[in-house]
Coordinates of all heavy atoms in Angstrom, one line a residue:
M1 N 2.9 14.6 6.8 CA 2.4 13.3 7.2 C 2.2 12.4 6.1 O 1.5 12.7 5.1 CB 1.1 13.5 8.0 CG 0.5 12.2 8.4 SD -1.0 12.6 9.4 CE -2.0 11.2 9.1
E2 N 2.9 11.3 6.1 CA 2.8 10.3 5.0 C 1.6 9.4 5.2 O 1.3 9.0 6.3 CB 4.1 9.4 4.9 CG 5.3 10.2 4.4 CD 6.4 9.2 4.1 OE1 6.9 8.6 5.0 OE2 6.8 9.2 2.9
R3 N 1.0 9.1 4.1 CA -0.1 8.1 4.1 C 0.4 6.8 3.5 O 0.5 6.7 2.3 CB -1.2 8.8 3.2 CG -1.7 10.0 3.7 CD -2.7 10.7 2.7 NE -3.2 11.9 3.2 CZ -2.8 13.1 2.9 NH1 -1.8 13.2 2.1 NH2 -3.3 14.2 3.4
I4 N 0.7 5.9 4.4 CA 1.2 4.6 3.9 C 0.1 3.6 4.1 O -0.4 3.4 5.1 CB 2.4 4.2 4.7 CG1 3.5 5.3 4.6 CG2 3.0 2.8 4.3 CD1 4.7 5.1 5.4
I5 N -0.2 2.9 3.0 CA -1.2 1.8 3.0 C -0.4 0.5 3.0 O 0.4 0.2 2.2 CB -2.1 1.9 1.8 CG1 -2.9 3.2 1.8 CG2 -3.0 0.7 1.7 CD1 -3.7 3.4 0.6
L6 N -0.6 -0.3 4.0 CA -0.1 -1.6 4.2 C -1.0 -2.6 3.5 O -2.2 -2.6 3.6 CB 0.2 -2.0 5.6 CG 1.1 -1.1 6.4 CD1 1.1 -1.5 7.9 CD2 2.4 -1.2 5.9
F7 N -0.4 -3.6 2.7 CA -1.1 -4.5 2.0 C -0.4 -5.9 2.0 O 0.8 -5.9 2.1 CB -1.5 -4.1 0.6 CG -0.3 -4.0 -0.3 CD1 0.0 -5.1 -1.2 CD2 0.5 -2.9 -0.3 CE1 1.1 -5.0 -2.0 CE2 1.6 -2.9 -1.1 CZ 1.9 -3.9 -2.0
D8 N -1.2 -6.9 1.8 CA -0.6 -8.3 1.8 C -0.1 -8.5 0.4 O -0.8 -8.5 -0.6 CB -1.7 -9.3 2.0 CG -1.2 -10.8 2.1 OD1 0.0 -11.0 1.6 OD2 -1.9 -11.6 2.5
G9 N 1.3 -8.6 0.2 CA 1.9 -8.7 -1.1 C 1.7 -10.0 -1.8 O 2.0 -10.1 -3.0
E10 N 1.1 -11.0 -1.1 CA 0.8 -12.2 -1.8 C -0.7 -12.4 -2.2 O -1.0 -13.4 -2.8 CB 1.2 -13.4 -0.8 CG 2.6 -13.4 -0.4 CD 3.0 -14.4 0.6 OE1 2.1 -15.2 1.0 OE2 4.2 -14.5 1.0
C11 N -1.5 -11.4 -1.9 CA -2.9 -11.5 -2.2 C -3.3 -10.7 -3.5 O -2.9 -9.6 -3.6 CB -3.6 -10.8 -1.0 SG -5.4 -10.5 -1.3
H12 N -3.9 -11.5 -4.4 CA -4.2 -10.9 -5.7 C -5.2 -9.7 -5.5 O -5.1 -8.7 -6.2 CB -4.8 -12.0 -6.6 CG -5.2 -11.5 -7.9 ND1 -4.2 -11.1 -8.9 CD2 -6.4 -11.3 -8.5 CE1 -4.8 -10.7 -10.0 NE2 -6.2 -10.8 -9.8
F13 N -6.2 -9.9 -4.6 CA -7.2 -8.9 -4.4 C -6.5 -7.6 -3.9 O -6.8 -6.5 -4.3 CB -8.3 -9.3 -3.4 CG -9.3 -8.3 -3.0 CD1 -10.3 -7.9 -3.9 CD2 -9.2 -7.6 -1.8 CE1 -11.2 -7.0 -3.6 CE2 -10.1 -6.6 -1.5 CZ -11.1 -6.3 -2.4
C14 N -5.6 -7.8 -2.9 CA -4.9 -6.6 -2.4 C -4.1 -5.9 -3.4 O -4.0 -4.7 -3.5 CB -3.9 -7.1 -1.2 SG -4.8 -7.7 0.2
D15 N -3.4 -6.7 -4.3 CA -2.7 -6.1 -5.4 C -3.6 -5.3 -6.4 O -3.2 -4.1 -6.7 CB -1.9 -7.2 -6.2 CG -1.1 -6.6 -7.3 OD1 -0.3 -5.7 -7.1 OD2 -1.4 -7.0 -8.5
Q16 N -4.7 -5.8 -6.6 CA -5.6 -5.1 -7.5 C -6.2 -3.8 -6.8 O -6.4 -2.8 -7.5 CB -6.8 -6.0 -7.9 CG -6.4 -7.1 -8.8 CD -5.8 -6.6 -10.1 OE1 -6.3 -5.7 -10.8 NE2 -4.6 -7.1 -10.5
S17 N -6.3 -3.9 -5.5 CA -6.8 -2.7 -4.7 C -5.7 -1.6 -4.8 O -6.1 -0.4 -4.9 CB -7.1 -3.1 -3.3 OG -8.1 -4.0 -3.2
V18 N -4.5 -2.0 -4.7 CA -3.4 -1.0 -4.8 C -3.4 -0.4 -6.2 O -3.3 0.8 -6.3 CB -2.0 -1.7 -4.5 CG1 -0.9 -0.8 -4.8 CG2 -1.9 -2.1 -3.0
Q19 N -3.5 -1.2 -7.2 CA -3.5 -0.7 -8.6 C -4.7 0.3 -8.7 O -4.6 1.3 -9.4 CB -3.6 -1.8 -9.6 CG -2.4 -2.7 -9.6 CD -1.1 -1.9 -9.7 OE1 -1.0 -1.0 -10.6 NE2 -0.1 -2.2 -8.9
F20 N -5.9 0.0 -8.2 CA -7.1 0.8 -8.2 C -6.8 2.2 -7.6 O -7.1 3.2 -8.1 CB -8.2 0.1 -7.5 CG -9.5 0.9 -7.4 CD1 -10.4 0.8 -8.5 CD2 -9.8 1.7 -6.4 CE1 -11.6 1.5 -8.5 CE2 -11.0 2.5 -6.4 CZ -11.9 2.3 -7.5
I21 N -6.1 2.2 -6.5 CA -5.9 3.4 -5.7 C -4.8 4.3 -6.5 O -5.0 5.5 -6.7 CB -5.3 3.2 -4.3 CG1 -6.5 2.5 -3.5 CG2 -4.8 4.5 -3.6 CD1 -6.0 2.0 -2.1
I22 N -3.7 3.6 -7.0 CA -2.7 4.3 -7.8 C -3.3 5.0 -9.0 O -2.9 6.2 -9.2 CB -1.6 3.3 -8.2 CG1 -0.8 2.9 -7.0 CG2 -0.7 4.0 -9.3 CD1 0.2 1.8 -7.3
K23 N -4.2 4.4 -9.7 CA -4.8 5.0 -10.9 C -5.6 6.2 -10.5 O -5.8 7.1 -11.4 CB -5.7 4.0 -11.6 CG -4.9 2.9 -12.3 CD -5.8 1.9 -13.0 CE -5.0 0.8 -13.6 NZ -5.9 -0.2 -14.2
R24 N -6.2 6.3 -9.3 CA -7.0 7.4 -8.9 C -6.3 8.4 -8.0 O -7.0 9.2 -7.4 CB -8.3 6.8 -8.2 CG -9.2 6.2 -9.2 CD -10.1 5.1 -8.7 NE -10.9 4.5 -9.7 CZ -10.5 3.5 -10.5 NH1 -9.3 3.1 -10.4 NH2 -11.3 3.0 -11.4
D25 N -5.0 8.3 -7.9 CA -4.2 9.1 -7.0 C -3.2 9.9 -7.8 O -1.9 9.6 -7.7 CB -3.6 8.3 -5.9 CG -2.8 9.1 -4.9 OD1 -3.1 10.3 -4.7 OD2 -1.9 8.6 -4.3
P26 N -3.6 10.8 -8.7 CA -2.6 11.4 -9.6 C -1.5 12.3 -8.9 O -0.5 12.5 -9.4 CB -3.5 12.3 -10.5 CG -4.7 12.5 -9.7 CD -4.9 11.3 -8.9
K27 N -1.8 12.8 -7.7 CA -0.9 13.5 -6.9 C 0.1 12.6 -6.2 O 1.0 13.1 -5.5 CB -1.6 14.5 -6.0 CG -2.4 15.6 -6.7 CD -3.0 16.5 -5.8 CE -3.8 17.6 -6.5 NZ -4.4 18.5 -5.6
G28 N -0.1 11.4 -6.1 CA 0.7 10.5 -5.4 C 0.7 10.7 -3.9 O 1.7 10.6 -3.2
L29 N -0.5 10.9 -3.3 CA -0.6 11.1 -1.9 C -0.4 9.9 -1.1 O 0.0 10.0 0.0 CB -2.0 11.7 -1.6 CG -2.3 13.1 -2.2 CD1 -3.8 13.4 -1.9 CD2 -1.4 14.1 -1.8
F30 N -0.6 8.7 -1.7 CA -0.5 7.5 -0.9 C 0.8 6.8 -1.3 O 1.2 6.7 -2.5 CB -1.7 6.6 -1.2 CG -3.0 7.1 -0.7 CD1 -3.9 7.8 -1.6 CD2 -3.4 7.0 0.6 CE1 -5.1 8.3 -1.1 CE2 -4.6 7.5 1.1 CZ -5.4 8.2 0.2
K31 N 1.4 6.2 -0.3 CA 2.5 5.3 -0.5 C 2.1 3.9 -0.1 O 1.2 3.7 0.7 CB 3.7 5.8 0.4 CG 4.1 7.2 0.2 CD 4.7 7.4 -1.1 CE 5.2 8.9 -1.3 NZ 4.8 9.5 -2.4
F32 N 2.8 2.9 -0.5 CA 2.4 1.5 -0.3 C 3.6 0.7 0.3 O 4.7 0.9 -0.2 CB 1.9 0.9 -1.6 CG 0.7 1.6 -2.1 CD1 0.9 2.6 -3.1 CD2 -0.6 1.3 -1.8 CE1 -0.2 3.3 -3.6 CE2 -1.7 2.0 -2.3 CZ -1.5 3.0 -3.2
A33 N 3.3 -0.2 1.1 CA 4.3 -1.1 1.6 C 3.6 -2.5 1.9 O 2.6 -2.6 2.5 CB 4.9 -0.6 2.9
S34 N 4.2 -3.5 1.4 CA 3.6 -4.9 1.6 C 4.0 -5.3 3.0 O 5.0 -4.9 3.6 CB 4.2 -5.9 0.6 OG 5.5 -6.2 0.9
L35 N 3.1 -6.1 3.6 CA 3.4 -6.6 4.9 C 4.6 -7.5 5.0 O 5.2 -7.6 6.1 CB 2.1 -7.4 5.4 CG 0.8 -6.6 5.6 CD1 -0.4 -7.5 5.8 CD2 1.0 -5.5 6.7
Q36 N 5.0 -8.1 3.9 CA 6.2 -8.9 3.9 C 7.5 -8.1 3.7 O 8.6 -8.7 4.0 CB 6.1 -9.9 2.7 CG 5.0 -10.9 2.9 CD 3.6 -10.4 2.5 OE1 3.4 -9.3 1.9 NE2 2.5 -11.1 2.8
S37 N 7.5 -6.8 3.5 CA 8.6 -6.1 3.3 C 9.3 -5.6 4.6 O 8.6 -5.7 5.7 CB 8.4 -4.8 2.4 OG 7.6 -3.9 3.2
D38 N 10.5 -5.3 4.6 CA 11.2 -4.8 5.8 C 10.4 -3.6 6.4 O 10.2 -3.5 7.6 CB 12.7 -4.5 5.6 CG 13.5 -5.7 5.3 OD1 13.0 -6.8 5.7 OD2 14.5 -5.6 4.7
I39 N 10.0 -2.7 5.6 CA 9.4 -1.5 6.0 C 8.0 -1.8 6.6 O 7.6 -1.3 7.6 CB 9.2 -0.4 4.8 CG1 10.6 0.1 4.4 CG2 8.3 0.7 5.2 CD1 10.6 1.0 3.2
G40 N 7.3 -2.7 5.9 CA 6.0 -3.1 6.3 C 6.1 -3.8 7.7 O 5.2 -3.5 8.6
K41 N 7.1 -4.7 7.9 CA 7.2 -5.4 9.2 C 7.6 -4.3 10.3 O 7.1 -4.4 11.4 CB 8.3 -6.4 9.1 CG 8.0 -7.5 8.3 CD 9.2 -8.5 8.1 CE 8.9 -9.7 7.2 NZ 10.0 -10.5 6.9
S42 N 8.4 -3.3 10.0 CA 8.8 -2.3 10.9 C 7.6 -1.5 11.3 O 7.4 -1.2 12.5 CB 9.8 -1.4 10.3 OG 10.1 -0.3 11.2
L43 N 6.7 -1.1 10.4 CA 5.5 -0.3 10.7 C 4.5 -1.1 11.5 O 3.9 -0.6 12.4 CB 4.8 0.2 9.4 CG 5.6 1.3 8.6 CD1 5.0 1.5 7.3 CD2 5.6 2.5 9.4
L44 N 4.4 -2.4 11.3 CA 3.5 -3.2 12.1 C 4.0 -3.3 13.6 O 3.2 -3.3 14.5 CB 3.5 -4.7 11.5 CG 2.6 -4.8 10.4 CD1 2.7 -6.3 9.9 CD2 1.2 -4.6 10.7
L45 N 5.3 -3.3 13.8 CA 5.8 -3.3 15.2 C 5.4 -2.0 15.9 O 5.3 -2.0 17.1 CB 7.3 -3.6 15.1 CG 7.7 -4.9 14.7 CD1 9.2 -5.0 14.7 CD2 7.2 -6.0 15.7
K46 N 5.4 -0.9 15.2 CA 5.1 0.4 15.8 C 3.6 0.4 16.2 O 3.1 0.9 17.0 CB 5.4 1.5 14.9 CG 6.8 1.7 14.7 CD 7.1 2.9 13.8 CE 8.6 3.0 13.6 NZ 8.9 4.2 12.7

């Protein structure tokens, strides 16, 4: 099961939150997709 975190790619706070998580996720359990990306849009539709 993938753990995908959707975030607003235009939001500075969101970007900093993603960076915070990445630094604390050494195993790379979380994946990220911006809401503006094709993958992000597709996930939102689901």
Side-chain angles (χ1 to χ4, degrees):
M1 178 173 149
E2 286 192 299
R3 297 171 179 100
I4 302 174
I5 297 174
L6 298 173
F7 68 98
D8 183 347
E10 299 176 2
C11 169
H12 182 69
F13 177 76
C14 296
D15 180 56
Q16 291 301 310
S17 298
V18 168
Q19 295 306 314
F20 179 88
I21 295 168
I22 289 172
K23 289 178 184 178
R24 288 156 181 80
D25 183 27
K27 294 183 181 180
L29 298 175
F30 295 100
K31 306 291 184 225
F32 302 89
S34 76
L35 296 171
Q36 293 79 11
S37 70
D38 290 337
I39 293 172
K41 290 175 186 176
S42 174
L43 289 171
L44 280 175
L45 290 175
K46 292 181 182 181

